[in-house]
Amino acid sequence: AEGMQAGVAINPHTSVNLLGDVLADIDLVCMMSVNPGFGGQKFIPNTLNKIEALRAMADELNPGLKIEIDGGVTEANYREILSKGADVLVAGNTVFGSPDPIKTISQLKIS
């Protein structure tokens, strides 16, 4: 369908190098930065290296690729995550555990 996009999700233990063959054909990579299963987990620090590596690959093969980070995104780490090349942040506990979810969302959004 027109406007349809394709994405791939990878778990924390999956190497971004495995995406080489499909990177040019997809629109988004959802990179899990915690082990999927339950909310409230801490961000896995090696994800920052993976974001950098994926952004470098995408710059060559698919510059428009969106990198989405899901898990452990907080007001304390979102700037560093974005600085490594992420475009989309998934923040469940950070938003819904906040006394002011709307304010928290606006702080996490990049204008």
Side-chain angles (χ1 to χ4, degrees), residues 64-75:
L65 181 80
K66 296 262 189 256
I67 300 174
E68 174 179 286
I69 304 304
D70 186 347
V73 174
T74 68
E75 292 160 295

Side-chain angles (χ1 to χ4, degrees), residues 35-54:
N35 289 301
F38 61 94
Q41 296 180 67
K42 295 267 186 263
F43 181 87
I44 297 171
N46 188 51
T47 306
L48 297 171
N49 298 325
K50 290 176 64 176
I51 297 167
E52 269 188 322
L54 181 57

Side-chain angles (χ1 to χ4, degrees), residues 56-67:
M57 289 171 62
D59 285 349
E60 284 186 34
L61 299 170
N62 184 354
L65 181 80
K66 296 262 189 256
I67 300 174

Side-chain angles (χ1 to χ4, degrees), residues 5-61:
Q5 294 191 327
V8 171
I10 60 171
N11 283 326
H13 63 273
T14 304
S15 170
V16 296
N17 293 329
L18 294 176
L19 297 172
D21 289 343
V22 298
L23 205 59
D25 300 313
I26 58 178
D27 302 293
L28 177 136
V29 172
C30 175
M31 185 181 297
M32 294 302 301
S33 43
V34 299
N35 289 301
F38 61 94
Q41 296 180 67
K42 295 267 186 263
F43 181 87
I44 297 171
N46 188 51
T47 306
L48 297 171
N49 298 325
K50 290 176 64 176
I51 297 167
E52 269 188 322
L54 181 57
R55 179 51 63 203
M57 289 171 62
D59 285 349
E60 284 186 34
L61 299 170

